[in-house]
Structure formats: structure tokens, C-alpha cells
């Protein structure tokens, strides 16, 4: 299956199968392609294989069968340096990724491993910290960062490598609601300003309508559905069978629809879309009522 225009695929997963040494099969025939510049959400409950798939894409795990292509080249044929210049991974727990004493040292690690001139290393440190809104943390000890700050520094360290594809495992885990929206706005800004393709594994359905261009649902190790948020969430039965739920706004609007209080049409999934639909209904009914009163 294909996400986005067919003319420019940045990432392809071809018939990926994976099982652990104990024989437990976790992924079965995963096959999809992502166009450059898209934001894709890998949606599934915990334990469904989202993290495993990200690790296979990042070459941290080797599939039993199938292959991953990045810019048309198989990742198992790439040098480590080339791969991680093109692709960046942000882990769920930032403490698993931050290891330097100061923020500046941590963000500088990747660019220095590319053997870039020190002037370019410092330019990238400044640019990436500015991009994530953390320039004031540059000389701060990494042991004194809040959880939200740690998330931002991990992201800064990855985008300092200027990858074309950014993988994120549960990017908003353990963040408060304000932190969730701030982090997703940040990812959206990076996607828009730098053209970075973003693939985020998550089970937070409420965040997807305002964030992702495309959604891929994993169920029983296979792709159960793929499409835009509107297309995927228009199948409530599949969502329930996948041990997920509709976004809360979608659930409310579905109840109204089932009670004949909402006309047929696409199911609103965000506050903005629901507000617009309800205003349209109110205006329509008001106009209809006024018309009936004016009829002799």
C-alpha cells in the first residue's frame, strides 16, 4: 500500500516478517511505501509490534524475511554512517538516548561523528536547538533536564544530523496534555520547514486527526488499515476490533449520528471540524424553521 504521491518514495517496507527467538511471530507481511514529506502515524495498542517495526526500519533488528528501502536503496547495503545520516530515531524514553554531560555535547555527537568541520558542528547545534525551542538549554547539564526538555534534546540531537526520515516511538508518552500538543506542533513545524518525513508509532488516537497525514493500523502483526485519519476512523468496527477507539470527538459525533441528530457525511474527528459541522446544522435548521413560518 502507498502513502502519498507515487512519484517520490522515501521509504519502502517490502513483505517484512519478524519473529523472536522463542518463535513468537510479531510481524507478518508488512508492506507499505511512504512518499517524501508525509507525516505517518503507526497506530496500535501496546505490544502490537510498533516498536519492533521502527527498529527494523532503523536496522536495529533484522527481519526474517523482506527488506527496507531508503531513497530506493536497501538499508542492509548502506554503511552505518550513510544510514544514520538519512534516518533518525527518537526513542520513547529519552534517558535511553541522552548520554553526554551537557546539552551541547549531546547534540554535537552525531555531527562530529560525520567528521564535519567544527564550525559546521556548532552551526548545527545552534540550528537544531533553536528549532526545538531549547537554545537556552545549550550549556545545561543533561542530568538537570525535565522530562519534556529531555524529549526536545533527543529530537535536537537527531535533527542535527539532518535526516530525511524521522522515526519516533511514542513521542508524547509521559508528557502532560500541554506538552503533548507542544511536541506535536514542533514535529509539524520541522516537517513543514525542513521537508522531513515523520513516522510516529503511537496509541494516542486523540492526537492523530490534527497531526498525521496518513494512518497505518497494526493488528495481529499485519496492516489492518491504511489511509487518511478520516478514512481510517470512518470504520468504527475495525477500530474496535483492533483494540483501539475513535478519537473522543469522533465517538461523540458517532453517537449523535446513531441518534439521527447528525446527518450523513464524513465523521468529524477534531474540535474544529465538529464545531463547523454543528454550526452548519444549526444554521440549516434555523433557515428551514424560518422558511416554514413565512409560508402562508
Amino acid at each position: 500500500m502507498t502513502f502519498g504521491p507515487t512519484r517520490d518514495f522515501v521509504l519502502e517496507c517490502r513483505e517484512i516478517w519478524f519473529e523472536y527467538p522463542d518463535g513468537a511471530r510479531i510481524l507478518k507481511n508488512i508492506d507499505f511505501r511512504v512518499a517524501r514529506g508525509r507525516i505517518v502515524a503507526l497506530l496500535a495498542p501496546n505490544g502490537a509490534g510498533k516498536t519492533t517495526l521502527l527498529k527494523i526500519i532503523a536496522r536495529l533488528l533484522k527481519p526474517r524475511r523482506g527488506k527496507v528501502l531508503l531513497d530506493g536503496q536497501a538499508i542492509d547495503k548502506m554503511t552505518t554512517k550513510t544510514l544514520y545520516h538519512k534516518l533518525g530515531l527518537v526513542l520513547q524514553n529519552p534517558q535511553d538516548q541522552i548520554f553526554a554531560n551537557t546539552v551541547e555535547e549531546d547534540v554535537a555527537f552525531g555531527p562530529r561523528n560525520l567528521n564535519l568541520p567544527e564550525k559546521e558542528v556548532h552551526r548545527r547545534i545552534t540550528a537544531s536547538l533553536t528549532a526545538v525551542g531549547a537554545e537556552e538549554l545549550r550549556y545545561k547539564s543533561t542530568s538537570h533536564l525535565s522530562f519534556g526538555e529531555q524529549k526536545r534534546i533527543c529530537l535536537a540531537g537527531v535533527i542535527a544530523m539532518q535526516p530525511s526520515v524521522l522515526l519516533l516511538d511514542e513521542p508524547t508518552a509521559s508528557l502532560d496534555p500541554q506538552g503533548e500538543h507542544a511536541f506535536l506542533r514542533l514535529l509539524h513545524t520541522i516537517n513543514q520547514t525542513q521537508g522531513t518525513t515523520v513516522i510516529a508509532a503511537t496509541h494516542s488516537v486523540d492526537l492523530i486527526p490534527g497531526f498525521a497525514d496518513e494512518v497505518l493500523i497494526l493488528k495481529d502483526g499485519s496492516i489492518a488499515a491504511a489511509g487518511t485519519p478520516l478514512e481510517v476512523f470512518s470504520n468504527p468496527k475495525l477500530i474496535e476490533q483492533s483494540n483501539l477507539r475513535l478519537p473522543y470527538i469522533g465517538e461523540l459525533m458517532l453517537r449523535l449520528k446513531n441518534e439521527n441528530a447528525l446527518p450523513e457525511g464524513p465523521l468529524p474527528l477534531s474540535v474544529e471540524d465538529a464545531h463547523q459541522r454543528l454550526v452548519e446544522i444549526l444554521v440549516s435548521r434555523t433557515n428551514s424553521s424560518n422558511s416554514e413560518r413565512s409560508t402562508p
Side-chain angles (χ1 to χ4, degrees):
M1 57 193 62
T2 299
F3 288 156
T6 59
R7 63 182 180 274
D8 189 14
F9 296 126
V10 65
L11 178 72
E12 300 180 57
C13 285
R14 296 184 178 176
E15 300 178 356
I16 299 293
W17 292 70
F18 180 84
E19 60 187 34
Y20 288 105
D22 62 3
R25 182 170 294 165
I26 190 72
L27 296 176
K28 299 177 289 186
N29 199 32
I30 299 295
D31 195 284
F32 66 92
R33 297 180 288 184
V34 178
R36 194 176 308 277
R38 306 295 282 176
I39 299 179
V40 177
L42 297 177
L43 179 60
N46 289 332
K50 303 186 301 296
T51 299
T52 299
L53 180 54
L54 288 189
K55 288 182 176 179
I56 288 173
I57 295 173
R59 208 171 70 183
L60 299 179
L61 290 174
K62 183 178 180 180
R64 181 172 66 84
R65 189 192 313 168
K67 59 182 176 179
V68 177
L69 279 69
L70 188 60
D71 285 328
Q73 183 180 0
I75 63 170
D76 59 349
K77 305 298 183 183
M78 291 181 174
T79 65
T80 299
K81 184 176 180 179
T82 298
L83 175 62
Y84 295 118
H85 179 54
K86 290 175 173 284
L87 182 146
L89 172 65
V90 178
L91 301 173
Q92 178 175 345
N93 186 349
Q95 294 176 355
D96 293 337
Q97 201 158 352
I98 293 176
F99 58 88
N101 292 326
T102 68
V103 167
E104 183 179 53
E105 292 171 354
D106 202 82
V107 177
F109 178 80
R112 284 193 175 124
N113 267 3
L114 293 177
N115 297 319
L116 297 174
E118 199 60 20
K119 184 177 181 180
E120 174 63 12
V121 170
H122 281 272
R123 188 197 69 78
R124 291 199 183 192
I125 294 171
T126 300
S128 59
L129 287 176
T130 300
V132 303
E135 173 61 19
E136 76 282 359
L137 301 176
R138 182 168 187 149
Y139 304 108
K140 192 170 183 178
S141 168
T142 54
S143 62
H144 294 158
L145 299 175
S146 69
F147 189 83
E149 289 172 340
Q150 290 174 357
K151 285 269 192 181
R152 286 176 175 264
I153 297 311
C154 281
L155 182 58
V158 170
I159 65 175
M161 299 285 285
Q162 299 182 352
S164 54
V165 176
L166 180 60
L167 308 176
L168 301 108
D169 190 10
E170 297 289 358
T172 60
S174 301
L175 294 176
D176 58 34
Q178 186 175 5
E180 288 180 341
H181 288 283
F183 198 81
L184 291 182
R185 284 197 303 271
L186 172 59
L187 293 176
H188 189 266
T189 298
I190 292 171
N191 167 259
Q192 293 295 304
T193 59
Q194 301 182 21
T196 307
T197 303
V198 177
I199 302 174
T202 184
H203 65 274
S204 300
V205 295
D206 296 297
L207 301 175
I208 288 176
F211 168 65
D213 299 313
E214 314 283 351
V215 181
L216 182 152
I217 291 182
L218 292 180
K219 177 179 180 288
D220 298 328
S222 299
I223 299 175
T228 66
L230 184 59
E231 291 169 341
V232 169
F233 289 123
S234 292
N235 190 342
K237 184 175 181 180
L238 172 65
I239 298 299
E240 182 180 0
Q241 291 174 343
S242 301
N243 296 318
L244 297 165
R245 62 170 175 79
L246 291 173
Y248 284 126
I249 294 296
E251 283 190 352
L252 173 61
M253 302 307 283
L254 181 62
R255 290 186 184 184
L256 292 175
K257 192 173 184 178
N258 290 338
E259 294 171 4
N260 297 319
L262 190 70
E264 291 298 320
L267 193 66
L269 299 174
S270 67
V271 172
E272 292 79 9
D273 290 343
H275 176 263
Q276 181 178 348
R277 177 70 67 82
L278 292 174
V279 168
E280 290 172 353
I281 293 171
L282 180 60
V283 170
S284 176
R285 290 180 178 176
T286 299
N287 290 340
S288 177
S289 177
N290 290 338
S291 177
E292 290 176 359
R293 290 176 183 174
S294 62
T295 301

